[in-house]
């Protein structure tokens, strides 16, 4: 019975990546990531506060992250990240998030995830291409609304603030134990061989044309926050 359930789960995940070339898949991810950030920022009382965006060193988005704890207690998703540079937001780096524990979950549920990486230490973890949430970097659900709480704990004690929603509804998401690592296939598809995550996020590599919608959503996030 367990083998049957595992087969069903794997078959349900497989179509997510079928029918697209690697370049089409990365372009699709960039477009969806920009749309997710725009939609989250548009939520009047649940968006990311202006103060949090001001404090962000990097912004990472995982659109429609697959949550499948019912069978094997694991999560997996692919995302894109950009970091602040002296010349604005960097070209996007591609990463994958796996592992951790979601608890019991029946079926497969689509999760959109935004991570705000704070401070130099959090940024260095992202630049390192691989780290564990809760081990190497602390994470917590971020404050929401028009303005962040006057309490500065979110600013001082947490390296990653997370914002997640399932089926359009905002929900807390525990990432403790999850591994975030470089998505080698997508990085190679977009930038070619021998381009490091550090070089991309440090602004040493020009953004590809396909990244324009995502970077536009990142640049426009603060304006959205101010006009909510």
């Amino acid at each position: 019975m367990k083998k049957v359930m595992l087969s069903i789960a794997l078959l349900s995940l497989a179509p997510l990546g079928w029918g697209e070339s690697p370049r089409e898949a990365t372009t699709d991810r960039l477009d969806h990531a920009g749309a997710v950030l725009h939609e989250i920022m548009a939520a009047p009382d649940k968006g990311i506060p202006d103060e949090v965006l001001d404090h962000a060193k990097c912004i990472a988005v995982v659109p429609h992250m697959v949550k499948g704890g019912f069978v094997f207690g694991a999560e997996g998703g692919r995302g894109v990240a950009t970091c602040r540079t002296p010349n604005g937001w960097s070209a996007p780096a591609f990463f994958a998030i796996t592992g951790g524990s979601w608890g019991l979950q029946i079926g497969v549920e689509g999760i959109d995830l935004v991570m705000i990486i704070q401070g130099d230490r959090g940024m260095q973890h992202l630049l390192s291409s691989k780290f564990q949430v809760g081990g190497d970097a602390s994470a917590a659900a971020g404050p929401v609304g028009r303005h962040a709480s006057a309490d500065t704990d979110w600013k001082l004690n947490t390296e990653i603030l997370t914002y997640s929603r399932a089926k359009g509804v905002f929900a807390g998401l525990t990432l403790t134990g999850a591994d975030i690592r470089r998505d080698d296939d997508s990085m190679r598809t977009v930038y070619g061989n021998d381009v490091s995550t550090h070089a991309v996020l440090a602004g040493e590599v020009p953004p590809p044309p396909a990244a324009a919608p995502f970077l536009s959503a990142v640049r426009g996030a603060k304006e959205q926050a101010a006009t909510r």
Side-chain angles (χ1 to χ4, degrees), residues 26 29 92-95 129 182-193 195-201:
T26 55
R29 195 192 319 174
F94 298 86
F95 66 91
S129 298
R182 170 186 166 100
D183 180 352
D184 289 327
D185 291 340
S186 296
M187 290 290 286
R188 191 179 304 112
T189 295
V190 174
Y191 298 111
N193 296 321
V195 176
S196 68
T197 299
H198 188 284
V200 171
L201 294 179

Side-chain angles (χ1 to χ4, degrees), residues 167-224:
K167 299 177 181 178
V169 178
F170 284 82
L173 184 64
T174 300
L175 289 177
T176 300
D179 291 313
I180 295 178
R181 57 175 175 74
R182 170 186 166 100
D183 180 352
D184 289 327
D185 291 340
S186 296
M187 290 290 286
R188 191 179 304 112
T189 295
V190 174
Y191 298 111
N193 296 321
D194 303 323
V195 176
S196 68
T197 299
H198 188 284
V200 171
L201 294 179
E204 299 170 10
V205 178
F214 171 65
L215 293 177
S216 177
V218 171
R219 289 190 293 267
K222 183 172 172 57
E223 182 178 346
Q224 278 188 276

